[in-house]
Amino acid sequence: MAITWAPSADKHGIDHEDALQAIMNAYYVEREFDEPRPPATVRPTLFIRTPPRDLHIFHVMVARPKHLERLEEDK
Amino acid sequence: MTDKDYEGAAKWAEHDMSLPENSRTSLRGADAADFGRELVERSRGGRPSIDPDAVPGEKSPVRQVRLPRALDADLEAFASSRKRKPSEIMREALTEYLESHREAG
């Protein structure tokens, strides 16, 4: 059981502890996604297991306005 | 999965990912935070004690309570509808009961 980080998770220079704090204080969690376009080939839901024994983080970024808008919709 | 695969997934998440409308799988507010907390805690090797005053390694007291079937089913349905665990609901309920009755004298 461990938390590991892909090199791509550090692209925006966000501190790992800050990223974990964001996960643990999430406002929104989505577990189903649309099909990825190339170069991505795998949907996140195919490798994020619930409940996981290991957590591998592949990307961390500041939430986009379009995503923040989604948080306010469909309530 | 290789680093290149994750790089591709990261690009997808950053540029192409869209959150579904009217999602039936999304969690919000306290449910989202609970999910995230459990995700991290499990991956770190276990959940922390439910007792904030417990010392590391100390086990919390356990009490077993028999329930009428109807109350048990009610608890299961209530917890499931809120994506929470029956044990959490029972701890909350007991805390509220004790506090309210203590205030009432």
Side-chain angles (χ1 to χ4, degrees):
Chain A
M1 293 178 282
I3 298 173
T4 52
W5 305 76
S8 54
D10 294 325
K11 179 182 173 186
H12 295 290
I14 297 173
D15 188 82
H16 289 185
E17 273 307 309
D18 289 342
L20 294 179
Q21 282 300 313
I23 294 171
M24 291 192 290
N25 294 280
Y27 290 111
Y28 183 101
V29 169
E30 183 54 72
R31 291 176 288 176
E32 190 159 295
F33 299 90
D34 57 1
E35 294 293 337
R37 297 174 194 166
T41 55
V42 180
R43 295 172 65 179
T45 43
L46 293 182
F47 58 84
I48 297 176
R49 296 175 192 156
T50 305
R53 307 307 297 177
D54 297 294
L55 176 61
H56 190 60
I57 297 175
F58 67 92
H59 193 53
V60 183
M61 67 180 186
V62 174
R64 296 279 184 268
K66 70 174 183 179
H67 296 151
L68 294 175
E69 288 168 12
R70 172 65 66 224
L71 306 188
E72 298 301 319
E73 298 171 358
D74 305 336
K75 281 185 177 175
Chain B
M1 293 288 285
T2 65
D3 287 346
K4 190 176 178 183
D5 293 324
Y6 287 119
E7 179 68 30
K11 285 181 181 172
W12 166 78
E14 182 149 356
H15 301 293
D16 296 323
M17 181 193 76
S18 60
L19 298 176
E21 293 182 25
N22 302 314
S23 169
R24 287 181 290 182
T25 59
S26 67
L27 301 174
R28 297 167 186 273
D31 288 342
D34 286 348
F35 182 92
R37 199 169 300 119
E38 184 151 332
L39 195 71
V40 171
E41 287 166 355
R42 280 177 183 271
S43 304
R44 277 177 165 166
R47 304 184 64 179
S49 172
I50 55 169
D51 184 351
D53 298 324
V55 299
E58 183 181 4
K59 290 186 177 178
S60 301
V62 176
R63 288 184 186 270
Q64 289 186 312
V65 181
R66 296 171 62 226
L67 301 177
R69 288 174 191 269
L71 181 58
D72 184 61
D74 206 11
L75 172 64
E76 281 287 346
F78 185 89
S80 176
S81 70
R82 284 159 178 75
K83 298 182 176 62
R84 300 187 63 195
K85 294 179 177 175
S87 58
E88 294 173 354
I89 305 293
M90 288 193 289
R91 278 193 291 273
E92 257 181 39
L94 181 59
T95 301
E96 285 183 20
Y97 181 93
L98 293 176
E99 285 178 357
S100 65
H101 284 69
R102 197 174 291 127
E103 287 170 7

